[in-house]
Amino acid sequence: MRALRSSAVAAIAAATAVTSVAGCAAKNDGKGGGGKGTIEVTATDSSCELSAKEFPAGHVRFAVQNKGSKVTEVYVYAPGDRIVTERENIGPGTRTEITAEIKAGSYEIACKPGMKGDGIRQKVTASGKGASTKRDPKLDAAVAAYRKYVQEQADQTLPAAQKFADAVKDGDVEAAKKTYALSRVGWERTEPVAESFGDIDPKVDVRADGLEKGQKWTGWHKLEKSLWEEKKISGDDKKLADQLITDLKDWQKRVGKAEITPTSMANGAKELLDEVATGKVTGEEERYSHTDLLDFHANVEGAEKAYELLKPVVGKNDPALAKELDKQFKVIGELLDEHRDSKSADGFASYDTVGKSERKKLSDGVNALAEPLSKLAAAVATAK
Amino acid sequence: MTHDDGTPTENTATEDGQAAQTANGRAPSRRSLLGWGGAGLALGAVSAGGTAAALRTGDDARPAGADATAGSAIAFHGRHQAGIASAVQDRLHFASFDVTTDDRDELIALLKEWTKAAARMTAGDAVGGGAVGGLAEAPPDDTGEALGLPPSRLTLTFGIGPTLFEKDGKDRFGIKARRPEALIDLPQFPGDNLDKTRSGGDLCVQACADDPQVAVHAIRNLARIGFGKVAIRWSQLGFGKTSSTTPDAQTPRNMFGFKDGTHNLAGTDTAALDKHVWVADGEAKGKESWMAGGSYLVARRIRMHIETWDRTSLQEQEEIFGRNKGEGAPVGKKHERDTPHLKSMLPTAHVRLAHPDSNGGVRILRRGYSFTDGTDGLGRLDAGLFFLAYQRDVRQGFVPLQKRLAATDALNEYIQHVGSAVFAVPPGVRNADDWWGRALFA
């Protein structure tokens, strides 16, 4: 995991660099917000009124009043639906205050009566030094949709992981084995984003060789070893199962705040294939359970999702690249289909039964897809 | 690569590097970074000369000035492909590829792209838009490890294996009928212990250079360009050329410590090359016309049992070869180049069996390299000879020779053939509009 984590960090650094390079246009028009830099937010069951839609960047206070009959919540979204700040559980008739450091740029404020859905949204602009990034709205839409996907994956992971954790806590080795790989799918599909939380990844997805000195081994792979290698569940493992759920809940809660840009999405897709190329195709990732093929499949699905969302832009900027990626995603999908096994718990053959020449074929397929995928970021970054 | 710089850079292979650089106006070439004709060339000459001196000490030292051109570029375009008769460089990276696409147009597009990249790299230029200076968000077109290095006499030689014409009974690219008769599937020779994963291949590229980094860079970049259309099946690194095409240079030694290739075909002996190596125009008729000016390549990975050889007495070693170890003189003779008296040698002596006089006058052009791929897990050196031989017709060249050797060569106790492949090597790329395999796919 060590190398993977650093690549995720690099992607974020790259994404940041892109933002700062591009962001140099907006000017401070001097229009202030509400009294002394405070924005009044008035929420009802059907509206979300703001005292100002333009305000200076910097330390911003939102004074929220819920005049509706439902419990509401208020979110400040950066482009691509990144959560800048949010407050839940604002009861009917109550007031609350939210503060945030807001850089110059375009944002959306959402009130969510009943705490459901995308909310009632208002566009706002923070102006000042540093200025805003003007981006193709299609790319903003892609980022927002990808963020939604990432959130869905986290949301779906929790019940699957709970099933696995419950089996571990019951001391039921067989049931735990059957639910192990399935509990990882959502994580594997969105790994570059999941890994961007540097504190969660080493707790849930670290392998024995990735442990740093003094670090206690926790998470999926420790339990994997107990189940397949030691073939028994210890008292400590049961505690680890609870810990895994706690850590995954943390991920589920924070994933909306992840820094995602079109470039980081594209690089993330490539990184998912890098994951396959370095860890899965060799059988290192799931060295005890040999469930590598499901991880492999999930990584490819996640990469394909990112690509599909960026495709409206890529198809215009570099149609040849889009054509090649369409083809190679199809090829790798067919290659993986050859290894499906309806009798196995996770739907794929155990990787220790996949011979050397078959692994070579998979590896060639990964290279064939990953090479054009490495050009995706450029096709997005140069979007006009 | 989708990248296409659209400039006729192939012309640069034989032209002045600086002019080419200005003309294409793209990323800096390796030569321009160095200062073409200046420090770079001198640097190349010094380092290559240094290597040569380190390898061959004392009386074996090369004549001064022999490596003066070690860093330079070898013309890519010509009637024959470079890397066959041209002077043998010190290092090799040979790669065999499987074609993974079924699409003829895609294969052709790849061959064009490969040719373009090969012309650039042999001229000392970076692939496509270069290794630096491109978009920050994109991986560079060129991998960059040859930046700052001179062309290093890089040659890239392209070949086509039998399986490109037909595989599992299938005419894959509509060229089955054009498979030359001389491109046979090699027979099984006695003692062969061939590893399928180190044998065969639809295409091959032989990269030779005076600097291993330059040879590896070339194969790596071609492989990368090829992902999705081709996949590397196997590859072999080689060092210490085991035969020379320049008779005035010292004959190199193989891993058994013997001089090898004393009577190899000289790259300057055009009559002998025409007779034994190049496919003649008249010979390549009709469906085989695309091979006129080409040749046939046999590649064999020959493992040498180094440890047992080293425990063999000097007398036995010399008897097995039919030459003495120090000078390389044939049995009963004084000097290396003295005409051997075959009947003085053991009937099973290597030189006696391999000599043209024992093979109806047939000669092959050898271009092999030593290899050492670490140890084999049993503590034995995984070393030997990566045998490369070019000939006009494998059926008259390698096959009868190897049949004879495999049956009776005394050396067989110490060697084993573990990899094998045969390729049709098309004629040279004529100009910037030409590409590897054009006449075959025309």
Side-chain angles (χ1 to χ4, degrees), chain B residues 58-120:
Chain B
D59 292 337
D60 278 350
R62 284 186 164 195
D67 281 320
T69 57
S72 64
I74 292 184
F76 180 71
H77 296 110
R79 169 161 163 72
H80 309 294
Q81 289 197 59
I84 302 173
S86 43
V88 181
Q89 304 90 322
D90 291 327
R91 303 291 184 137
L92 169 83
H93 191 185
F94 188 98
S96 161
F97 296 86
D98 287 324
V99 176
T100 52
T101 180
D102 303 321
D103 186 328
R104 180 180 158 115
D105 292 340
E106 236 179 47
L107 174 59
I108 288 171
L110 169 69
L111 295 178
K112 286 179 181 174
E113 214 176 327
W114 262 9
T115 309
K116 186 181 282 187
R120 286 190 67 92

Side-chain angles (χ1 to χ4, degrees), chain B residues 10 37 60 82 93 95 125 134 144 149 198 214 247 271 306 319 325 390 393 424:
Chain B
E10 289 82 350
D60 278 350
H93 191 185
D125 291 328
L149 297 176
R198 283 189 188 274
V214 171
I306 303 292
E319 281 176 359
K325 200 166 189 173
Y390 288 89
D393 191 329

